[in-house]
């Protein structure tokens, strides 16, 4: 395969993934978490790095 074919296939795959994600997502901007939570008062959770020692 040439580079152009590979690049076209990769771009088509990413576009198809974005279309699939948009079509199947339950988009509700009022329930979505903030993209950047700096100073919002929200605590992080769900990761081992968020469990700080007391």
């Amino acid at each position: 395969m040439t580079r152009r074919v590979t690049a076209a296939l990769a771009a088509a795959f990413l576009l198809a993934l974005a279309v699939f994600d948009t079509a199947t997502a339950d988009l509700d901007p009022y329930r979505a978490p903030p993209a950047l939570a700096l100073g919002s008062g929200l605590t992080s959770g769900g990761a081992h790095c968020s469990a700080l020692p007391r």
Side-chain angles (χ1 to χ4, degrees):
M1 290 182 147
T2 64
R3 288 184 188 182
R4 287 186 181 177
V5 173
T6 304
L9 287 174
F13 174 74
L14 290 176
L15 181 64
L17 182 64
V19 168
F20 172 76
D21 186 41
T22 303
T24 59
D26 182 24
L27 299 177
D28 186 3
Y30 299 106
R31 289 189 312 137
L36 293 174
L38 300 175
S40 68
L42 297 176
T43 59
S44 60
H48 69 279
C49 58
S50 66
L52 297 175
R54 294 179 186 212

